[in-house]
Amino acid sequence: METITVNIVQDDDVYISHCLDYDIASQGSTKQEAIDNIKEAVSLFLEVASPEEIQDRLERRARRD
């Protein structure tokens, strides 16, 4: 399994998770739920995205850094 970078912030009663590598966001009512949801969202993205889309998102991330 690959390592991804995720930022989690609390906004009132919800936790927002953002995968910085692929620019994918999710949320949960607890921190753990937000983590589980972002893992699932990234996994689903990697299942359906083309190799070109995946590479494009990684390159956009590299340009932002």
Side-chain angles (χ1 to χ4, degrees), residues 35-64:
I35 291 168
D36 293 342
N37 289 344
I38 196 66
K39 286 180 180 180
E40 181 179 14
V42 170
S43 178
L44 291 171
F45 167 74
L46 293 173
E47 283 181 25
V48 300
S50 68
E52 294 81 14
E53 173 69 12
I54 294 168
Q55 188 62 37
D56 180 58
R57 288 185 184 220
L58 291 172
E59 288 173 2
R60 278 189 273 160
R61 164 70 183 187
R63 287 192 298 268
R64 287 192 309 262

Side-chain angles (χ1 to χ4, degrees), residues 8-59:
I8 300 174
V9 295
Q10 185 175 8
D11 186 13
D12 293 326
D13 60 348
V14 69
Y15 289 85
I16 301 166
S17 51
H18 180 223
C19 172
L20 304 176
D21 304 301
Y22 297 112
D23 196 22
I24 297 170
S26 190
Q27 65 182 29
S29 57
T30 66
K31 193 174 190 178
Q32 187 58 54
E33 185 178 357
I35 291 168
D36 293 342
N37 289 344
I38 196 66
K39 286 180 180 180
E40 181 179 14
V42 170
S43 178
L44 291 171
F45 167 74
L46 293 173
E47 283 181 25
V48 300
S50 68
E52 294 81 14
E53 173 69 12
I54 294 168
Q55 188 62 37
D56 180 58
R57 288 185 184 220
L58 291 172
E59 288 173 2

